[in-house]
Amino acid sequence: MADRKANTGSSSEGPTNNCDYTGGTESPKSPEDESSERPEAQYSQDLKSVLVTSVLNLEKLDVDLYRGTHHWVPRTQRLFGGQIVGQALVSAAESVSDNLFAHSLHCYFVRAGDPKVPVLYQVDRIRDGRSFTVRSVRAIQHGHPILICQASFHMQQPSPLQHQFTMPEVPQPEDLLTVEELIHLYLSKPDLAEKSKQGLNKLLANEVPIEIKPVHPPHFYRLAGAEPRKLFWVRARGYIGEGNMKLHCCVAAYVSDFAFLGTALLPYPNYKAEFSASLDHAMWFHSTFRSDEWMLYECESPWAGGSRGLVQGRLWRRDGVLAASCSQEGVLRVTPVTEPSKL
């Protein structure tokens, strides 16, 4: 399991959470911001992330009323929960001043989303305080809410209290294969079953707007039983840029729901999910980060039972700073696997 030692020396100035969604001015860089820059070349600024240009882009209809029309649809043919959470946070962030930064969100998924119709986001201004501001967002389809989100924004304040867990020691992303590269490697095996080939080709055809590099591919693909914990590097495809932390928080909310609930299935290779769905999702933002740079996603499941599973996650910057924490419970109804994997 994860190293539980507290680290109190990550930065002399402490973590910051500067979520400027306007994009007009860049946040000042701290020493920890400089150290988070990855050594490989940045994305070209011409290669804009589809998460910004489409997936998380909302149309403003009226004061505190927005519409999302661009959906990334996974194989389940239901709306991806991470996209609804990310768009809900986008709409909430539009209603707060530039000196307030998202520090937490709590969501309930109440109905499955329909990918064939737009989603309306209705923002309710619950409270405007001196230090904290709270917004409630309802994501609506067919006249009914599909998600209810509470988001809290905080005015940055200094504090002598500062600690965090220690980031796990793992290979760097440059030394690992992407999900797509792993799939091509599996497809090159001459003894691969035809059914497995069809499934892998479907995965390749389902273009995902984020890049993933599993640290332990057999665990990621559930090729053998393992403890309920997985690690993978993740970043948004395309360029997002600095100084727009409100947007980076929204992208991280999208990313946090990807391959998350499946962590609870890792100890059970002889079972497959007949039905799975997120019930709720919570997230806390701790420090500045760039969602178009590699971050390590550490996922673990401390409990499963009663056809439900609980998962927890930590998003680490590659310089060891804890950027965000997440938690989710979901429905997991399983059936026995009739034949072993041929991968």
Side-chain angles (χ1 to χ4, degrees):
M1 303 299 285
D3 188 346
R4 292 292 184 265
K5 294 187 293 182
N7 183 347
T8 60
S10 59
S11 169
S12 60
E13 296 184 7
T16 59
N17 185 14
N18 194 0
C19 298
D20 179 10
Y21 188 64
T22 63
T25 58
E26 292 195 352
S27 307
K29 283 188 178 181
S30 67
E32 64 180 24
D33 291 328
E34 294 284 356
S35 64
S36 71
E37 293 179 358
R38 65 176 185 267
E40 72 261 34
Q42 299 283 341
Y43 275 117
S44 166
Q45 294 192 26
D46 295 330
L47 187 62
K48 296 293 184 182
S49 172
V50 69
L51 285 167
V52 177
T53 60
S54 178
V55 174
L56 294 178
N57 190 32
L58 298 180
E59 175 189 2
K60 185 172 182 177
L61 301 178
D62 205 337
V63 176
D64 295 336
L65 184 63
Y66 302 87
R67 177 167 58 193
T69 57
H70 302 283
H71 305 316
W72 176 76
V73 182
R75 288 181 299 159
T76 61
Q77 296 304 303
R78 302 192 303 267
L79 283 183
F80 176 50
Q83 178 174 5
I84 307 305
V85 173
Q87 289 185 341
L89 187 57
V90 168
S91 63
E94 285 281 7
S95 70
V96 302
S97 59
D98 293 343
N99 64 335
L100 295 172
F101 315 123
H103 72 89
S104 70
L105 61 86
H106 299 262
C107 302
Y108 279 97
F109 299 95
V110 293
R111 288 179 179 84
D114 183 352
K116 299 181 181 64
V117 300
V119 181
L120 294 178
Y121 294 90
Q122 188 173 51
V123 180
D124 189 3
R125 304 190 180 212
I126 301 296
R127 181 178 186 270
D128 289 286
R130 286 182 296 179
S131 297
F132 291 89
T133 291
V134 179
R135 296 290 183 259
S136 178
V137 181
R138 292 196 308 158
I140 301 169
Q141 282 187 323
H142 303 296
H144 299 286
I146 63 172
L147 173 132
I148 299 171
C149 175
Q150 306 281 341
S152 183
F153 299 82
H154 182 215
M155 182 180 295
Q156 185 177 323
Q157 296 172 327
S159 171
L161 305 180
Q162 180 187 339
H163 69 268
Q164 65 169 55
F165 286 168
T166 301
M167 180 179 175
E169 294 185 8
V170 298
Q172 292 300 299
E174 294 79 17
D175 300 324
L176 298 170
L177 298 178
T178 65
V179 164
E180 292 79 11
E181 290 169 337
L182 285 168
I183 290 176
H184 283 296
L185 182 63
Y186 294 141
L187 286 171
S188 68
K189 294 185 176 182
D191 58 343
L192 186 64
E194 185 61 32
K195 186 176 180 181
S196 297
K197 286 182 181 179
Q198 293 175 3
L200 291 173
N201 281 314
K202 286 181 180 178
L203 287 176
L204 282 177
N206 191 26
E207 295 183 1
V208 181
I210 59 177
E211 288 184 279
I212 290 176
K213 291 190 173 185
V215 173
H216 303 292
H219 295 175
F220 191 84
Y221 290 104
R222 299 183 61 220
L223 301 185
E227 63 176 333
R229 181 173 184 250
K230 63 183 171 185
L231 299 144
F232 56 93
W233 291 97
V234 61
R235 67 177 178 180
R237 294 187 191 274
Y239 178 82
I240 296 176
E242 296 180 271
N244 200 347
M245 268 307 298
K246 279 186 180 174
L247 181 55
H248 284 295
C249 288
C250 296
V251 172
Y254 177 97
V255 168
S256 68
D257 191 35
F258 199 88
F260 195 24
L261 186 58
T263 308
L265 294 172
L266 292 180
Y268 312 101
N270 296 326
Y271 289 88
K272 62 180 180 180
E274 182 181 40
F275 176 82
S276 65
S278 304
L279 294 172
D280 60 5
H281 191 88
M283 195 165 188
W284 297 264
F285 302 100
H286 310 308
S287 180
T288 56
F289 59 89
R290 281 186 58 172
S291 53
D292 57 354
E293 294 185 341
W294 289 115
M295 291 191 290
L296 180 69
Y297 200 9
E298 178 188 13
C299 306
E300 57 189 3
S301 174
W303 174 88
S307 295
R308 304 192 319 275
L310 178 67
V311 288
Q312 298 171 340
R314 286 174 285 276
L315 276 168
W316 298 91
R317 286 185 354 197
R318 64 185 300 168
D319 62 353
V321 171
L322 183 60
S325 300
C326 339
S327 186
Q328 183 180 109
E329 188 180 44
V331 176
L332 287 170
R333 299 191 180 110
V334 299
T335 57
V337 176
T338 54
E339 59 182 63
S341 172
K342 297 297 194 300
L343 296 182

